[in-house]
Amino acid sequence: MLFVSLFKFFFCIIIAVFMMSASVDPLVVGRVIGDVVDMFVPSVGMSVYFGSKHFTNGSDIKPSLTVNPPKVTMSGNMDHLYTLVMTDPDAPSPSEPIMREYVHWIVVDIPGGTNPNRGKEILPYMGPRPPVGIHRYILVLFQQKAPLGLVDQPPSRANFNTRFFARQLDLGLPVATVYFNAQKEPATKRR
Ligand SMILES: *[C@@H]1O[C@H](CO)[C@@H](O)[C@H](O)[C@H]1NC(C)=O
């Protein structure tokens, strides 16, 4: 009897988890919401391209293709300015992310509807170099309340905190987020 009800109990949990993951936001499934940002309502469209390839949430990408900054296009209002942060919550390894987060890129004062080249780079782009495991690389876009102008560079790329950064600059919740995955390429493919 106990065995049967335990079985039913776990069966129900499995079904519930399956249904949740099927219907829920890809950012929740990828734990981007939770690990890096809080729940938000996307209100701006953002697309990320490395070369000619368009990246959707959760796509895998080879680090060798990400040496140069991605092309990022965004919708949004020309009257507003936006801040873009690219961050890795899985550094140095997803099972022991003691450097969480490792920040790869920060650009502020990007006019809506344009791209990061039109903004002010606070921290230069650094391509993913995941040493161990599959890392998530997350591009987070915030809408600014005012021009930011001079923003201090974070003292270090390691142990960056997107939430804290946003709070310091009064950016509020994100307006768009895209993430992709990358892992170290086999040694033979490395240059
Ligand atoms: C990624 O997920 C967010 C949240 O659901 C969504 O707003 C965005 O359009 C998605 N983008 C891509 C390129 O998959």
Side-chain angles (χ1 to χ4, degrees):
M1 262 313 270
L2 179 65
F3 181 79
V4 170
S5 41
L6 264 181
F7 179 81
K8 277 187 189 156
F9 176 67
F10 284 115
F11 186 73
C12 288
I13 287 187
I14 287 164
I15 293 295
V17 167
F18 179 76
M19 283 170 63
M20 271 159 62
S21 56
S23 63
V24 107
D25 194 305
L27 301 186
V28 174
V29 178
R31 293 197 51 81
V32 168
I33 289 178
D35 285 350
V36 178
V37 295
D38 296 315
M39 187 64 94
F40 70 98
V41 181
S43 56
V44 172
M46 175 165 70
S47 296
V48 178
Y49 303 82
F50 283 101
S52 58
K53 203 163 179 312
H54 177 218
F55 280 88
T56 51
N57 292 313
S59 20
D60 294 308
I61 182 162
K62 293 196 173 85
S64 56
L65 299 177
T66 61
V67 173
N68 297 314
K71 186 178 146 219
V72 178
T73 62
M74 49 196 256
S75 66
N77 191 323
M78 260 291 218
D79 299 336
H80 287 136
L81 295 172
Y82 297 82
T83 292
L84 179 71
V85 173
M86 177 171 150
T87 191
D88 169 8
D90 301 315
S93 103
S95 56
E96 261 177 276
I98 53 170
M99 289 180 189
R100 175 179 292 173
E101 303 157 17
Y102 194 91
V103 63
H104 283 258
W105 198 21
I106 303 177
V107 187
V108 304
D109 289 343
I110 310 168
T114 69
N115 63 70
N117 298 337
R118 301 277 307 275
K120 208 162 136 264
E121 198 171 62
I122 299 301
L123 184 69
Y125 175 83
M126 186 187 134
R129 288 176 215 157
V132 185
I134 301 174
H135 290 221
R136 293 163 294 167
Y137 294 89
I138 304 159
L139 287 100
V140 190
L141 191 71
F142 296 93
Q143 183 177 313
Q144 301 171 196
K145 297 193 173 76
L148 294 179
L150 272 180
V151 176
D152 286 338
Q153 213 177 50
S156 135
R157 288 184 188 259
N159 298 112
F160 179 79
N161 185 307
T162 301
R163 284 187 179 94
F164 182 69
F165 177 80
R167 211 173 303 138
Q168 272 186 321
L169 298 178
D170 193 21
L171 297 173
L173 290 173
V175 291
T177 298
V178 180
Y179 83 98
F180 60 87
N181 299 315
Q183 62 182 312
K184 191 173 179 172
E185 291 170 68
T188 50
K189 290 215 184 114
R190 285 172 70 206
R191 280 180 290 168

